Amino acid sequence: MRNFIKKITHPFLKYALKVYYYKPRKYYYDSISIEIHPKVFPPHLTFSTKILLDFIQPLDLKDKTFLELGCGSGIISLSAAKKGASVTATDINQIALLYLEKNAKKNHLSITILESDLFDSLEKKSFDYIIINPPYYPKNPKNIVEKAWFCGANFEYFEKLFHQLKHQVHFQNTLMILSEDCAIERISDIAQKYLLSFETVLLNENFAEKNYIYSISK
């Protein structure tokens, strides 16, 4: 984790990212085209979004209830909607939600978009699929942008997430992606504290890192 934090905080890389993301950038998947604001988690920067997109691509989502928790750009939600799912996309970043609304209209896709801190604002808490690409670096975020990366110094994000999954939500399939660069054992231990189990359903390995998709169950 420290190596990654050093990379993204290196002055040269910070400057390069600032230059690249000084304006909205486009992202494409399966004939879906979206525009992403600089203050929204960029799927171009990591492998996780593409891995999740490829994983759900063969799933039969027609008429399934689908929640993308912390949707960011919302490309996963739009892909699920294209496959016929009834999609809810949530985030705490209002800019992300505004751009997602525009991108949904541009791609002629219908989804429910909601500002929510995890499950707090969700009235309906039963889903066939829940997809989570979480912030997992243990540091207290200073602003809304950093909340896409940092889960709190004591993993507060996961404490709240797993508590809600255990006590407040009914689900058939919850899928979460994590990188080898994060504290997977610590996150798994928090899940076990709430009597939730982790099962690896995909290992994606490339030249830079390993990513794991976990199925979470009660």
Side-chain angles (χ1 to χ4, degrees), residues 5 92 117 135-157:
I5 297 300
I92 57 174
D117 184 355
Y136 46 60
Y137 295 111
K139 178 181 175 181
N140 291 326
K142 297 178 182 178
N143 52 54
I144 197 72
V145 175
E146 288 194 355
K147 285 188 176 183
W149 297 96
F150 302 124
C151 63
N154 294 306
F155 294 82
E156 288 88 349
Y157 171 93

Side-chain angles (χ1 to χ4, degrees), residues 44-151:
H44 322 72
L45 191 59
T46 68
F47 300 103
S48 57
T49 301
K50 178 64 163 53
I51 293 169
L52 283 171
L53 284 166
D54 290 344
F55 185 83
I56 69 171
Q57 185 64 19
L59 299 180
D60 180 9
L61 297 180
K62 186 172 177 57
D63 299 324
K64 302 294 187 183
T65 53
F66 184 101
L67 169 66
E68 186 181 7
L69 196 68
C71 62
S73 71
I75 184 66
I76 292 173
S77 291
L78 296 175
S79 180
K82 184 179 178 182
K83 292 173 61 61
S86 175
V87 176
T88 300
T90 71
D91 208 291
I92 57 174
N93 187 333
Q94 293 182 358
I95 296 176
L97 300 179
L98 176 63
Y99 267 67
L100 177 53
E101 183 177 6
K102 294 178 181 178
N103 288 321
K105 290 179 179 178
K106 182 177 69 174
N107 287 278
H108 308 290
L109 294 169
S110 177
I111 62 176
T112 299
I113 300 172
L114 182 66
E115 182 180 355
S116 182
D117 184 355
L118 295 177
F119 294 94
D120 288 354
S121 300
L122 281 165
E123 293 183 4
K124 176 186 175 182
K125 296 183 180 178
S126 177
F127 298 93
D128 294 314
Y129 284 90
I130 300 173
I131 305 298
I132 311 171
N133 187 358
Y136 46 60
Y137 295 111
K139 178 181 175 181
N140 291 326
K142 297 178 182 178
N143 52 54
I144 197 72
V145 175
E146 288 194 355
K147 285 188 176 183
W149 297 96
F150 302 124
C151 63

